[in-house]
Each structure stands twice: as structure tokens, then as C-alpha cells.
Amino acid sequence: MLICKNCGKELDDAAIFCTGCGKELNAPEFPGAVEEAGQSAVSDAASDVVKTESVEDTIDAAISALGADEGASVNSEASVTNDTETSESIFKSESGILQDEKNVTVNDNDDTVNISDAAATHVYGAGSGNQPSEYQPTGYQSRPQSGQYQGGYSQQPYGYGQPAMQTAPSPVKEKKEVKVGAGRVIGASVVAFFAIVFTLLLSLILCVKFGANGNIIRGRVEKLDLRTILTAEYDGEEISTDLYKTIGFRTATEGTADESSFKEFMLKSDFLEYAGERAENYVNYIADGKGSDPSVTSEDFVNDFFKENRSAAKDTFNYDMTEESYKTIRSNLDKEDFDTTMSVREWGDKAGFGLKNLSYVFSYITIGIIFALIIVLFIWILVIVDKKGRHLTGFYGNILFISGVIVFAVGVAIIVGAPVAYAFTNELAFYIIANVLLPFSLVALCAGFVELLIGGILKKVKKSIKRKEKRNAVSVNA
């Protein structure tokens, strides 16, 4: 006996449409005792399913239990072909949920899909999703509820939660090591040569900038021993004697001054202060481009030195020098081309370029440009040798080592070689170089030592890498 859900009219079991309201019937309604009997029979059938070894025996047991009381017929064409469909049929019978003739709405991840009763029963099953674990068929996969039917029962699509197919990772191709050929080595060697030149130039410029600027040169000149300078030999005789004859000092003083008195006059004068100031002007003009032309003429020398030391001359040989005396000295200096000898322009003409242009070389802008150029050359070497550690450390080490050797040698030559040469030759030039350029030599020693140290470390690293490569090659061949 069927009861219409819409109007409550009692109908025959085989009825398809309600005779009262005309509503289509697609699932039987079980009243009272019949429903209880059906549920009891379903429970017995579910228990038999767990204990039955084959799927066919499970279906026969369920049909026998339900056949008498429900009057349900089993369609032989609905045979179960796999474990999953059998499990879904058992869950549908056990829960006793009757699907409404309306389409079922499933909300899954906020997407609404309408499916028919038959499709919902076939795809999703008819359980509430809260069955005890012993009723879940083998192979059934479930996940936390994310969607619900309109009837309030949560279901998930069959197979949801099954592990996704794993994609095998693609094999990592080992990068073949590319050897640096002879062409690359030759190219890197050419770049390294220019890098050595610019590194050496930068080191020497920095040594001049911080060890031989005008202020330092003036201080070193003022600390010289004037007696040593006057007694030093020049063209086979002492400097004081040669200067006494050159300027005609005996004639200028009307025979009152001789060679020894002239030397005493020079020692009492401020000759070192005068020479130091003029040396500072020369260095600042040439190296830094400061001031006007510092060239000293014969008139400048007479006015700024002899006239300023007039009192020293009177104290030494008791003679008050006159304008005629100064005129005689200027005339004798002009005969010796004093102006040409002390002219910066003449020095430039002999060198072939204006010495004032050297100020651009020693400027901080030039220093920055040279440093940037060295970095570029180092990067070129890095690219040419393909970043190979052995070649890279070798070239860098050689560049710094060679430049360091030269700069260090310059420092040693000044601080050690010049005094030794002066001791053997008694030449004034070696004495001045050894004393005036002492700060420059110290800076050169420090700069050269640093370059030598870094270059030596890099060369050691290269040898270590080379030995390691040889050991690896031997072990591979073995």
C-alpha cells in the first residue's frame, strides 16, 4: 500500500501517479509498522553483507529479508558489477531515505548543481554520511562535509579524497664542466696586462696624493740639513763653492766675501724655508693645478732671498749690500739661464706636454675613473674564464702581485737605495730624494705590501684548487 505524500491518498503498490492529485510517484512511502519492518530487514541484510564473502550472496540475503514484508521486487537487470555500486545500494537501503521527485540541489564549494534523483542516487548514494565505520564499504573515500542536500543529508561525490596521481620529477641534467681553452686564456692574459698597468698607475697616483703633496714636500725640505746640502758635491766641487762662483758673489760684495764666508752667510739665511715654499708652489701647481705659474726668475730670487737676508750678509762679512750688488747677481744668474732652468713651461716643452695637465691625472675624478676601469677589466676576466675559480684566482693574483712588486720596489729604492747611493757618490740628488720623498716611499711600501699580500693569497688559493682538481681526476680514473 502506498500513500501519496502530496494529498495523503492510499494507492496501490504498483501505482505510478496519484489518482487523487495526479502527482507522479517515484518512491514508495512506508507507513508505521511496514517502515519498521523494512528497516529491521535492512539492518539484518547489512549485517549479512559484512559476513558474506561474495557480493552475489549479499544481494540474495537482502532480497530474502525484504521480499515478504515490503513486496519489493528486484530487477534482475540491476545486477551489481563492482564493489562500489554494491556498497552504494546497501547504504541506500539501510538509511531508508526516500528521494523526492524534485531535483536534488548540491552545494559544493559554493557552486550549486541540480541533478535528478536517479543521478543523485547513482553518483552520491543515499546515506546521511554519519554511518558507523563498519558499514562503510571497502574502497569508499570520504572527506569532511562541504555540501548538503535540501533534505539535510550531507553527501560527497564518489571517489573524492582519493590520492592524486603523482608526477615523477624530471631528471636533473648535470651541467657538463666546460674547460677554459687556450684562446680564452690568451684573451684573459691580454686583459690582465692592461689591468696591471692601470692598477700600477692607480697605486702610484695614490702614493703621490698622500705621500708627496705640496704641504708634505715643504715640510720635508725645511727639515733638510743645510750644511749637508752646501757640502754635497756637484760637478766635482761643493755646492756652496759652485753657487759662490755662479752668482759672482765676490764681485757683488766688492771682494769682502770669500767662499767660507759665503757658506756661513747661507747657513745664517732662511734658504731652507725659501726653498720649501717654492717647492710647495711647484708641486701644488703641477700635481693639483693650484695657483699661478710658480716659476722663479733671477729677479725673484734676488728680491725674495738676497734682499730678505741682507742683515745676515752684513753680520757675516760686514758688508751692506747695495742695489748695484743685487744687479750684479741678477746679471750673473741670467748668464747661466737661471730663468729657463726654473721655468715650468720650459720643463713642459722638454717633456712634450704641459706639466699643468698632470693635475688632471692626480685629481680625485681621475682616480675614480681608473678604479672603475680596473673593476671593468676584472669583470671581463671573470667572463672570459667562465668564472672558473682556478683561472680567476690565478689572473687576479698575478695582477695584484706584479703591481705590488713594482710599487714595493719603488718604495724600497727610495728608502734604502737612495741613502746607499748618496753614501757612495755624495751626490746631492740622492740626498734630497732620500729625505724629501721619504713619506712617498713609506706609502709605496704599505700599498705594495698590501697588494703583494692579497696577490699571494690568491695565488695560494689557485694552487690549492689545482691540487684538488688533480686529486679528483686521479680518483675518477681509479
Side-chain angles (χ1 to χ4, degrees), residues 274-286:
Y274 172 79
E277 182 180 356
R278 297 299 177 272
E280 180 182 14
N281 293 337
Y282 276 103
V283 173
N284 288 338
Y285 180 79
I286 295 174

Side-chain angles (χ1 to χ4, degrees), residues 100-114:
D100 190 77
E101 67 275 15
K102 296 181 180 180
N103 292 337
V104 179
T105 301
V106 179
N107 295 319
D108 192 2
N109 297 330
D110 296 333
D111 294 333
T112 302
V113 180
N114 294 327

Side-chain angles (χ1 to χ4, degrees), residues 422-449:
Y422 172 73
F424 282 97
T425 62
N426 200 30
E427 289 287 340
L428 178 63
F430 293 117
Y431 172 75
I432 294 176
I433 290 173
N435 288 272
V436 175
L437 297 181
L438 178 62
F440 171 84
S441 63
L442 293 176
V443 175
L445 286 175
C446 294
F449 176 77

Side-chain angles (χ1 to χ4, degrees), residues 208-209 212 282-289 355 358-360 362-363:
V208 172
K209 198 73 175 176
Y282 276 103
V283 173
N284 288 338
Y285 180 79
I286 295 174
D288 296 331
L355 293 182
L358 290 175
S359 61
Y360 299 108
F362 295 100
S363 66

Side-chain angles (χ1 to χ4, degrees), residues 30-247:
F30 297 97
V34 177
E35 181 179 359
E36 293 178 0
Q39 290 180 352
S40 176
V42 171
S43 299
D44 295 340
S47 300
D48 291 340
V49 169
V50 177
K51 298 177 181 180
T52 303
E53 296 181 355
S54 65
V55 176
E56 288 80 5
D57 294 339
T58 301
I59 296 172
D60 293 339
I63 293 172
S64 300
L66 294 172
D69 295 330
E70 294 180 345
S73 60
V74 178
N75 192 344
S76 59
E77 295 178 356
S79 300
V80 178
T81 59
N82 53 61
D83 292 344
T84 303
E85 293 179 358
T86 302
S87 301
E88 292 175 356
S89 299
I90 294 172
F91 272 103
K92 179 177 179 181
S93 301
E94 179 187 359
S95 61
I97 297 174
L98 302 179
Q99 301 294 336
D100 190 77
E101 67 275 15
K102 296 181 180 180
N103 292 337
V104 179
T105 301
V106 179
N107 295 319
D108 192 2
N109 297 330
D110 296 333
D111 294 333
T112 302
V113 180
N114 294 327
I115 59 175
S116 64
D117 295 341
T121 304
H122 176 71
V123 176
Y124 294 98
S128 64
N130 298 319
Q131 300 298 332
S133 59
E134 62 268 17
Y135 291 105
Q136 293 186 1
T138 304
Y140 184 83
Q141 300 293 333
S142 63
R143 66 179 175 97
Q145 301 173 4
S146 62
Q148 291 185 342
Y149 294 118
Q150 289 181 345
Y153 296 94
S154 300
Q155 293 293 336
Q156 300 298 337
Y158 171 73
Y160 185 91
Q162 292 186 358
M165 296 181 64
Q166 299 293 331
T167 304
S170 58
V172 179
K173 295 183 180 179
E174 295 183 358
K175 183 180 180 181
K176 294 182 179 180
E177 184 175 355
V178 180
K179 293 184 179 180
V180 179
R184 287 176 175 263
V185 173
I186 294 174
S189 300
V190 174
V191 177
F193 171 77
F194 289 102
I196 292 172
V197 173
F198 285 109
T199 302
L200 178 61
L201 179 61
L202 178 64
S203 300
L204 294 177
I205 291 175
L206 291 176
C207 291
V208 172
K209 198 73 175 176
F210 298 105
N213 57 57
N215 188 41
I216 293 176
I217 294 298
R218 179 176 182 174
R220 296 303 303 174
V221 170
E222 291 178 355
K223 291 181 180 180
L224 293 174
D225 185 4
L226 184 56
R227 186 176 294 276
T228 301
I229 294 175
L230 294 175
T231 57
E233 292 185 3
Y234 180 77
D235 289 341
E237 58 184 4
E238 292 184 354
I239 294 294
S240 62
T241 302
D242 182 76
L243 184 60
Y244 175 78
K245 293 179 180 180
T246 299
I247 64 177

Side-chain angles (χ1 to χ4, degrees), residues 247-269:
I247 64 177
F249 202 74
R250 181 181 179 83
T251 304
T253 59
E254 298 179 359
T256 59
D258 56 12
E259 294 181 9
S260 60
S261 61
F262 176 74
K263 181 184 294 184
E264 291 298 323
F265 161 74
M266 293 294 293
L267 291 175
K268 290 180 180 180
S269 67

